[in-house]
Amino acid sequence: MKFIKSKILILTGCIALSFAGCSDEILEEQPRSVLEPGFFQTEKGVLGGLTSMYAHLRYIYGPAYYYNTLITGTDEATYAQSADNNFKDMDMTGVGSITSSSSRSDALWGTAFSNINTANGVIEYAAAVGISEQLIAEAKFFRAFDYFLLVQTFGGVPLDLGSGELRFNVTPSRTSVRNTVPEVYTRCVFPDLLQAIEELPAGERVKGGVNKTVARLYLSKAYLTYGWWLENPNNIPTYPETTRVDPDGHDAQWYYQQAYNVALEGIDNPGPYSLQETYYDVNLGLNDRNSEIMLYADHTEKSEFFNGSSLSFGSGAAPDNFAGWMMTWNYTNIRSSGVSSVQRAATQPLGRPWTRMCPTIGVIKNTFADKTNDSRYDGTFTTTYRANWDKAKNPDLPATLINANGLSISPGDAVLTFLNEDNPAVVYDAATGGIGAGILPGRADYVIEPGVISRIVYPGLWKLGPFRTDNGDGLGQPNAASTRPFNIAKFSEFYFIAAEAAVKGAATTGGRDARSLINVIRARAGKWRFDNNGNVVKNEDNSAAMIAATPAVIDINYILAERSREYYAEGYRWFDLVRTQKWEELAGSYEICGPTYGDHTPQTFTRTIEKHFYLRPIPIGQLDAMNGTPEDKATYQNPGYL
């Protein structure tokens, strides 16, 4: 069997050395093109390998093209006006196609297997040099973490990288054999996570380090996902072909029960984690790395070396965190008195515009239908764009500008507002504000209704916007990638996992049925302390109204809707729709207006979501690196792909 290809082994070595930031001694080691067993027979080597496991998260979470594969083509997003084929391919409306060459899930394949091999080395050799079981358990967690991502994305994948199953591989070969889905779960994902729970501490070894609670979150999620896989309600094919029979003799219901039980253990034994008081605080840049965030791909504004990328200009390549650019439209084209009144700034509501992805009309009108009681719409999107031309320090610009209805605006005033509801009084003109905006009588700000958002003008994604403390009184570094951590796992998901397992038939305890669990999240969503887009303090508690609006009996579709409100555009959605086999039902069509300013005519687009799309194609780089006939490679590839 093979470990992808030789250059992946080289990458493994580079990551282990280049990002071992917690020890200068590790950084001074002689660079290696390949990690041989001797590297892991020193404490420095093991710690370097362990540090690289946290660093490898930057190559999966934050870069845009893999991020795009998890959102575009779902009911959360479509491609925007400036999208290239990386985004159009994923939309599945006929403007592109997903192939082994075009699928950007290759970013996951290469990065995950590199890290898995490093984890194998740590697990295999660390005990001999006196490394504690707690540290080895971190490697077990990350090996399971990567295999869990891979098996959800590609189906069965190799457990043997060339030197034996789950062994450290030092000999690149050009053959590979894929294990089945049950083998990946029962031989690696489950046992590694169970051992991690047993051996990891309850607290954090370092800030952001994995512990028992993090391992419980992923075990409960893996149990839930595997339960769905065994049940297979819509007869989605798997590959390599295998019967949907658990090797340990358990049925889907057993795994749903385990998912519920482990999720409740996580809730009852939170360690250092807890829910934030308000949804606004969960994603507020000033509050990054808060108690609700359990795992993240970290960055910093204090050091380019430790950040992993430039602090002044983003390259648009890994390990930059530039996912937030993708759903940021070019708001700098808004004109007041012929001047760009909202200029590019390194602030959370703004950032660098790329216009590659956009929300659908259904997201704004249906997913986030309640914008009064539920704070999550306000805590997800930028819907008010405020004047900031003064921060450009241009002496030629006046103190006030003329905006809608001939009224003047000053810095800090609203220039453009995306309304919460459609309003028949809005009058549009293609030239208004330079972006085809609308006007309402008596208002100085331009407006746009939810029902006319387009591929070129739409609410931005506030929750992933940049946040820096070094902007001073200027625009900062808006062309740099975000120096914020990319959040991967949140404590709130325990409640969703337990609720979903309960809906699937898990026996509940302590009155914690699906509705009560979901209502913990909904009650929090009803609490406001700040009106983000109004830019004013708002002390309001709508928890009772949120709980009262929860259906008496909730189903999977309701849980999925709540998950989208809670985790919109954070990279959960494709996995959610594939796990529950609801992709075609919920994302088979969408509405959006066209890609030109002033286009306010919604169009309906239909997606072709065939069953083989529930697995991504094995990347062409993997196939090209393998020996064998075209027939052999076709057999290795997931069916339905070129």
Side-chain angles (χ1 to χ4, degrees):
M1 297 185 186
K2 68 182 286 296
F3 172 63
I4 318 311
K5 53 181 177 178
S6 59
K7 77 174 184 179
I8 299 298
L9 279 176
I10 294 173
L11 178 60
T12 304
C14 293
I15 290 177
L17 294 172
S18 299
F19 291 97
C22 61
S23 171
D24 290 340
E25 293 180 351
I26 295 176
L27 294 172
E28 293 170 359
E29 288 280 350
Q30 181 67 32
R32 295 168 170 81
S33 62
V34 175
L35 296 183
E36 71 281 1
F39 180 79
F40 292 110
Q41 292 172 2
T42 67
E43 182 180 3
K44 295 178 183 178
V46 171
L47 294 178
L50 191 60
T51 301
S52 78
M53 294 177 205
Y54 290 92
H56 99 288
L57 297 173
R58 296 176 178 174
Y59 288 80
I60 300 173
Y61 297 97
Y65 298 113
Y66 175 64
Y67 169 77
N68 154 58
T69 70
L70 304 179
I71 301 170
T72 306
T74 73
D75 54 345
E76 289 194 341
T78 179
Y79 66 90
Q81 181 267 339
S82 298
D84 59 23
N85 284 342
N86 288 297
F87 300 87
K88 292 181 178 179
D89 287 342
M90 305 312 300
D91 199 56
M92 312 179 78
T93 50
V95 293
S97 60
I98 303 174
T99 69
S100 60
S101 299
S102 68
S103 171
R104 297 316 306 268
S105 295
D106 60 348
L108 172 62
W109 182 277
T111 302
F113 276 115
S114 297
N115 188 67
I116 286 167
N117 200 45
T118 300
N120 287 343
V122 170
I123 294 166
E124 193 168 337
Y125 297 108
V129 295
I131 299 298
S132 71
E133 289 296 322
Q134 286 188 0
L135 290 177
I136 298 172
E138 292 188 32
K140 292 175 183 175
F141 169 83
F142 279 113
R143 183 169 69 180
F145 174 91
D146 282 330
Y147 267 122
F148 183 42
L149 284 177
L150 288 167
V151 75
Q152 292 177 90
T153 305
F154 300 105
V157 291
L159 294 174
D160 184 344
L161 306 184
S163 296
E165 191 168 293
L166 300 178
R167 298 295 300 276
F168 179 65
N169 183 45
V170 296
T171 308
S173 68
R174 299 179 70 86
T175 61
S176 180
V177 175
R178 294 173 61 180
N179 290 89
T180 65
V181 168
E183 288 170 343
V184 174
Y185 276 108
T186 61
R187 295 183 188 178
C188 179
V189 176
F190 298 150
D192 273 3
L193 289 174
L194 285 166
Q195 290 179 49
I197 292 170
E198 181 178 346
E199 296 160 359
L200 285 170
E204 295 174 302
R205 176 177 64 87
V206 294
K207 181 66 175 176
V210 298
N211 60 15
K212 290 182 185 296
T213 313
V214 179
R216 283 192 179 107
L217 178 68
Y218 278 90
L219 181 61
S220 62
K221 188 186 297 191
Y223 280 151
L224 181 69
T225 304
Y226 187 54
W228 276 102
W229 185 90
L230 288 171
E231 181 183 353
N232 192 23
N234 293 332
N235 296 313
I236 302 297
T238 192
Y239 202 75
E241 293 180 359
T242 186
T243 58
R244 296 201 183 227
V245 176
D246 179 45
D248 295 328
H250 303 304
D251 61 9
Q253 198 60 42
W254 187 89
Y255 281 101
Y256 293 141
Q257 189 65 58
Q258 295 307 306
Y260 178 87
N261 294 346
V262 175
L264 255 60
E265 287 176 9
I267 293 170
D268 293 339
N269 300 278
Y273 310 110
S274 62
L275 296 176
Q276 291 290 290
E277 288 296 316
T278 70
Y279 186 79
Y280 171 74
D281 285 311
V282 178
N283 300 298
L284 178 65
L286 186 64
N287 197 38
D288 280 338
R289 306 173 190 84
N290 60 67
S291 66
E292 193 160 329
I293 311 304
M294 299 175 66
L295 187 67
Y296 46 82
D298 211 359
H299 291 269
T300 178
E301 68 179 34
K302 300 184 182 302
S303 163
E304 286 195 351
F305 179 81
F306 291 114
N307 184 50
S309 58
S310 170
L311 295 175
S312 58
F313 188 83
S315 67
D320 279 1
N321 177 10
F322 62 108
W325 301 351
M326 300 301 108
M327 210 175 287
T328 303
W329 67 286
N330 198 358
Y331 56 84
T332 66
N333 283 340
I334 304 172
R335 290 294 182 267
S336 309
S337 299
V339 171
S340 175
S341 47
V342 186
Q343 302 200 7
R344 191 182 294 192
T347 58
Q348 191 165 348
L350 299 176
R352 185 173 173 179
W354 270 37
T355 323
R356 300 298 198 269
M357 303 161 63
C358 63
T360 66
I361 290 173
V363 166
I364 306 303
K365 299 187 75 170
N366 301 327
T367 303
F368 293 95
D370 183 353
K371 301 176 179 66
T372 302
N373 295 312
D374 194 334
S375 67
R376 289 176 291 189
Y377 180 70
D378 184 71
T380 296
F381 294 101
T382 297
T383 60
T384 302
Y385 288 81
R386 298 184 177 277
N388 66 353
W389 73 85
D390 58 315
K391 295 184 179 297
K393 309 299 182 184
N394 184 344
D396 296 329
L397 295 179
T400 62
L401 296 174
I402 301 301
N403 211 54
N405 291 303
L407 299 174
S408 64
I409 57 171
S410 301
D413 289 344
V415 179
L416 171 70
T417 300
F418 288 89
L419 301 176
N420 285 348
E421 305 291 340
D422 289 339
N423 187 333
V426 177
V427 176
Y428 292 98
D429 184 279
T432 302
I435 59 166
I439 293 176
L440 276 174
R443 293 183 60 148
D445 56 333
Y446 301 120
V447 297
I448 292 178
E449 300 166 276
V452 300
I453 65 166
S454 66
R455 296 192 191 273
I456 195 169
V457 181
Y458 48 86
L461 191 60
W462 176 83
K463 64 162 60 170
L464 294 191
F467 169 78
R468 294 179 67 154
T469 63
D470 58 358
N471 291 344
D473 60 354
L475 298 172
Q477 297 288 347
N479 293 323
S482 176
T483 56
R484 296 179 64 193
F486 189 101
N487 296 330
I488 300 170
K490 294 180 173 179
F491 185 72
S492 55
E493 198 176 7
F494 276 125
Y495 294 88
F496 285 100
I497 292 168
E500 187 174 324
V503 168
K504 295 300 292 180
T508 62
T509 59
R512 289 185 285 191
D513 60 6
R515 188 176 188 274
S516 67
L517 288 160
I518 288 297
N519 272 337
V520 172
I521 303 301
R522 285 181 55 78
R524 193 268 297 276
K527 295 179 180 178
W528 299 66
R529 76 168 181 86
F530 192 76
D531 184 333
N532 184 27
N533 285 282
N535 197 33
V536 293
V537 172
K538 181 179 180 178
N539 292 312
E540 193 171 291
D541 189 347
N542 301 316
S543 298
M546 292 290 290
I547 290 172
T550 307
V553 178
I554 65 175
D555 59 13
I556 291 300
N557 283 4
Y558 189 80
I559 287 178
L560 288 172
E562 278 294 312
R563 285 184 66 92
S564 194
R565 285 186 275 274
E566 190 76 16
Y567 305 120
Y568 179 81
E570 294 182 41
Y572 292 72
R573 198 57 174 176
W574 185 75
F575 290 121
D576 288 346
L577 297 182
V578 167
R579 177 183 69 255
T580 60
Q581 301 187 359
K582 292 283 188 175
W583 189 7
E584 185 174 11
E585 176 186 338
L586 299 182
S589 66
Y590 64 90
E591 281 190 310
I592 195 73
C593 295
T596 59
Y597 291 126
D599 188 338
H600 302 304
T601 303
Q603 300 179 54
T604 298
F605 295 84
T606 300
R607 293 187 169 111
T608 301
I609 303 174
E610 299 177 13
K611 288 185 176 181
H612 74 269
F613 287 129
Y614 276 73
L615 296 177
R616 298 300 196 200
I618 304 300
I620 190 65
Q622 164 69 21
L623 300 175
D624 286 348
M626 292 170 57
N627 284 333
T629 65
E631 292 75 18
D632 292 335
K633 296 182 181 183
T635 300
Y636 194 88
Q637 179 61 276
N638 284 327
Y641 291 107
L642 299 176

